[in-house]
Amino acid sequence: MSKPERVGLLSAKDHSLNTVGIARESYDSFGAHASHHVYSQNLKSVEESMSSELRKTIKFWVLPSNFTAVKRRILRDFDEYRFDGQQSKSLEESGTVYETIYFDTDSLSLYNKRILQVEQSMLFRYRWYETNGSVQCKNGFMEQKLRKEEWRGEISQKLRFQMDPKFAPKFMRSGPSALSTASILTSPSAPSFMHQFYQDTQKWGGKLRHTLRTEYRRTVYKPRQPPIQSRSAPPSSQQQQQPQRMVLSFDEGITLKDISNLTWEQALDPSVAVEPFKTFCFPLGVLEVKLYLDTFDD
């Protein structure tokens, strides 16, 4: 069994952040552990074949006073990556806004099980991203995550497929049969995948509805590629030790809102006001390190 991961408070004075061993003992720990492997099945669209990835995640909390310093330190070894191909205008306002709507019971059964890290806990959500400076939802992704215990050699599963927002409530109510007239069912592998997704929602009595929405700005970083050396030059020790397929993300401005009293159309519109007493603003940033692995033994 692998050593539990640590959730700590990252200080700007801590210079142990690098591409090798990014989780060092010098980070202050609050004793919270978040050990898990995440098995991610990413579907950019249902027309593409499903792919699977095994990854280990490590998370750190970051004080607001350290946001800029931490991002500046990351840029020594990593480059910012944006799916829209654009470049952030400043270090302080880097990244892209992520909007996510969670489906749950009226008593937030799924949310509470996830918080307690109960085995077989799951979530269902609809996610979209800021595009050309706008957070209005034009297209997004249905996602499911299922948590399984690591110590038994199992993994957590993530399923994802692209969907027009207007079809999301219909899918949650009636499953793929509600989408028979949509072009979303064009892939031979999609129907069985989507049917299983829908069947899992029925384990909660078929009463899942939109309840919570999160919003945050995420900056994604990928390792900077070293300059190409001549064939005669041996690789440096840093190149030999640098982990393959490492991705960092930094989340800030995290808010959680109760949208259970909104219509689906209103829930999709971030400009619709939500009462202050139904809004929680997380006071810290979250630095997440994703290490993509080939096997559990890596």
Side-chain angles (χ1 to χ4, degrees), residues 50-154:
M50 289 186 287
S51 61
S52 62
E53 293 176 329
L54 180 66
R55 72 188 187 192
K56 186 173 184 178
T57 62
I58 309 167
K59 294 183 180 181
F60 301 94
W61 296 327
V62 184
L63 290 170
S65 58
N66 294 329
F67 282 6
T68 302
V70 168
K71 288 192 281 187
R72 183 178 293 112
R73 177 64 185 88
I74 292 173
L75 287 173
R76 294 184 189 178
D77 303 290
F78 291 77
D79 289 322
E80 181 184 353
Y81 169 79
R82 288 182 50 148
F83 68 91
D84 58 8
Q86 299 184 15
Q87 185 175 3
S88 297
K89 296 180 180 180
S90 67
L91 194 63
E92 292 76 14
E93 296 295 328
S94 63
T96 304
V97 175
Y98 284 50
E99 298 279 355
T100 308
I101 293 177
Y102 290 86
F103 295 89
D104 209 330
T105 64
D106 290 337
S107 60
L108 301 181
S109 301
L110 280 74
Y111 173 83
N112 288 311
K113 286 182 178 293
R114 292 281 298 182
I115 290 295
L116 296 175
Q117 296 188 345
V118 176
E119 184 181 3
Q120 297 294 323
S121 61
M122 62 182 68
L123 64 79
F124 302 94
R125 66 191 182 195
Y126 186 80
R127 170 169 287 180
W128 71 98
Y129 311 100
E130 175 186 13
T131 304
N132 297 324
S134 173
V135 292
Q136 297 299 317
C137 182
K138 298 181 180 179
N139 210 338
F141 297 87
M142 288 294 300
E143 297 183 351
Q144 176 191 10
K145 291 183 70 175
L146 174 64
R147 183 180 184 274
K148 298 184 178 181
E149 291 292 349
E150 176 188 349
W151 66 272
R152 296 197 310 190
E154 294 183 294

Side-chain angles (χ1 to χ4, degrees), residues 7-8 59-64 67 71 92-94 96-100 102 111 115 125 127 212-219 249-258 276 278-288:
V7 178
K59 294 183 180 181
F60 301 94
W61 296 327
V62 184
L63 290 170
F67 282 6
K71 288 192 281 187
E92 292 76 14
E93 296 295 328
S94 63
T96 304
V97 175
Y98 284 50
E99 298 279 355
T100 308
Y102 290 86
Y111 173 83
I115 290 295
R125 66 191 182 195
R127 170 169 287 180
L212 301 172
R213 186 179 71 217
T214 60
E215 177 181 302
Y216 52 84
R217 178 172 293 275
R218 169 170 290 181
T219 308
S249 63
F250 184 79
D251 299 342
E252 55 189 304
I254 304 170
T255 61
L256 177 65
K257 298 181 179 182
D258 177 359
K278 292 185 176 182
T279 301
F280 172 73
C281 298
F282 189 65
L284 303 173
V286 178
L287 173 63
E288 182 174 10

Side-chain angles (χ1 to χ4, degrees), residues 41 43 50 101 103 110 122-126 141-146 157-163 168 171-176 179 190-204 208:
Q41 284 188 290
L43 294 179
M50 289 186 287
I101 293 177
F103 295 89
L110 280 74
M122 62 182 68
L123 64 79
F124 302 94
R125 66 191 182 195
Y126 186 80
F141 297 87
M142 288 294 300
E143 297 183 351
Q144 176 191 10
K145 291 183 70 175
L146 174 64
Q157 188 177 31
K158 178 179 176 181
L159 305 175
R160 166 179 164 112
F161 57 92
Q162 192 170 9
M163 178 179 286
F171 175 80
M172 293 298 292
R173 287 195 303 267
S174 307
L179 311 176
S192 59
F193 164 73
M194 296 171 67
H195 276 288
Q196 183 58 54
F197 188 116
Y198 173 68
Q199 289 302 318
D200 286 341
T201 69
Q202 300 307 294
K203 296 178 181 178
W204 304 91
L208 300 185

